[in-house]
């Protein structure tokens, strides 16, 4: 049976067009061997929601769902970068897209309206937590969070290859603050890796050691 992965596409990669395209190309290449579901970040669109909330003072509930909609805006852009990418808005569509040999880009608003009761409506939950939660809903083998850094580092700046979130004594700065709680409670293996280095996906799908951080419960 093919392994299945949720891959969150960092919103920061919007500003690295060539690197984003290389990441997508690598995903499509590896989809011959494993299944990927892409979950878009919020990018500048979520940043705008945050700015507007500060100015207009609407509630965290409204901001939460606006930010999730902003992920869909970025998701449509990501899906436009390769003909093998197909935007979908429900969990059942994921399998349908896999069956025709393509890669689903999950636009999460409708999914979370139906299944997102575990996620609080606050800025502690971003696309990182949403990707982990979708991984839980889809029962994937691992959730891969792309960033523009290699992973989690210790106080000396050394990359940590594996950490247990329950034992990590400080905030994990490269992911949102709700991710450790979800990883711990839902038992979802989660990886932080550098989306500017798409070749790392080769190591990840094979379970080989590489320049990334595994977050364990």
């Amino acid at each position: 049976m093919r392994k299945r992965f949720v891959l969150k596409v960092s919103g920061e990669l919007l500003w690295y067009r060539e690197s984003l395209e290389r990441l997508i190309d690598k995903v499509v290449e590896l989809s011959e061997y494993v299944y990927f579901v892409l979950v878009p970040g919020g990018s500048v669109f979520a940043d705008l929601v945050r700015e507007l909330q500060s100015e207009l003072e609407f509630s965290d509930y409204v901001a939460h769902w606006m930010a999730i909609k902003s992920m869909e805006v970025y998701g449509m852009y990501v899906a436009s970068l390769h003909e093998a990418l197909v935007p979908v808005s429900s969990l059942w569509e994921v399998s349908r897209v896999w069956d025709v040999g393509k890669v689903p880009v999950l636009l999460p608003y409708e999914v979370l309206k139906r299944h997102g009761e575990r996620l609080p409506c606050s800025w502690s939950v971003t696309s990182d937590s949403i990707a982990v939660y979708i991984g839980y809903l889809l029962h994937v083998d691992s959730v891969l969070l792309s960033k523009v850094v290699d992973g989690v580092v210790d106080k000396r700046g050394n990359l940590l290859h594996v950490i247990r979130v329950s034992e990590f004594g400080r905030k994990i700065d490269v992911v949102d603050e709700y991710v450790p709680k979800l990883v711990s409670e839902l038992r979802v293996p989660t990886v932080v890796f550098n989306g500017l280095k798409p070749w790392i996906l080769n190591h990840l799908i094979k379970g080989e050691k590489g320049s990334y951080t595994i977050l364990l419960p």
Side-chain angles (χ1 to χ4, degrees):
M1 176 179 280
R2 287 190 186 186
K3 288 185 176 180
R4 300 182 296 175
F5 299 91
V6 162
L7 193 159
K8 181 231 164 167
V9 181
S10 170
E12 293 180 86
L13 291 175
L14 177 69
W15 307 115
Y16 301 88
R17 172 67 181 257
E18 291 185 2
S19 295
L20 176 56
E21 290 178 341
R22 286 196 293 269
L23 178 64
I24 298 303
D25 287 343
K26 176 58 71 174
V27 165
V28 173
E29 172 194 329
L30 294 176
S31 291
E32 184 176 346
Y33 311 103
V34 298
Y35 291 121
F36 284 103
V37 182
L38 303 187
V39 172
S43 195
V44 293
F45 313 106
D47 294 339
L48 178 59
V49 172
R50 194 187 290 261
E51 292 172 11
L52 287 172
Q53 185 188 22
S54 177
E55 183 173 343
L56 302 177
E57 299 182 343
F58 48 78
S59 69
D60 284 346
Y61 176 86
V62 172
H64 177 74
W65 291 107
M66 287 175 68
I68 290 170
K69 275 295 186 183
S70 76
M71 294 171 62
E72 299 197 334
V73 175
Y74 184 48
M76 291 305 297
Y77 170 71
V78 170
S80 74
L81 297 177
H82 200 290
E83 61 183 8
L85 303 189
V86 179
V88 301
S89 56
S90 64
L91 297 179
W92 70 265
E93 288 178 282
V94 169
S95 295
R96 179 180 61 80
V97 173
W98 283 341
D99 288 343
V100 297
K102 293 184 179 292
V103 179
V105 179
L106 187 59
L107 309 180
Y109 185 87
E110 292 299 329
V111 172
L112 295 177
K113 275 294 185 181
R114 290 191 175 195
H115 306 288
E117 63 279 351
R118 280 180 176 262
L119 302 178
C121 295
S122 80
W123 287 108
S124 66
V125 171
T126 70
S127 54
D128 289 340
S129 285
I130 289 169
V132 173
Y133 190 64
I134 288 171
Y136 164 74
L137 294 176
L138 289 171
H139 307 288
V140 298
D141 292 277
S142 187
V143 174
L144 313 178
L145 304 177
S146 71
K147 300 288 180 177
V148 293
V149 296
D150 289 339
V152 182
V153 298
D154 63 19
K155 293 180 179 179
R156 296 181 178 179
N158 299 312
L159 182 67
L160 298 171
H161 294 288
V162 180
I163 63 171
R164 291 197 174 276
V165 294
S166 59
E167 299 173 359
F168 200 61
R170 59 187 175 87
K171 183 179 178 182
I172 303 174
D173 294 330
V174 298
V175 298
D176 73 48
E177 62 185 275
Y178 206 70
V179 164
K181 179 178 176 66
L182 287 178
V183 170
S184 180
E185 291 183 356
L186 303 182
R187 318 296 289 181
V188 181
T190 302
V191 174
V192 179
F193 79 103
N194 195 330
L196 301 174
K197 301 175 180 179
W199 61 86
I200 291 175
L201 288 177
N202 292 307
H203 304 300
L204 285 169
I205 69 169
K206 296 176 183 177
E208 298 172 348
K209 186 176 181 179
S211 298
Y212 55 81
T213 301
I214 301 172
L215 307 181
L216 295 178

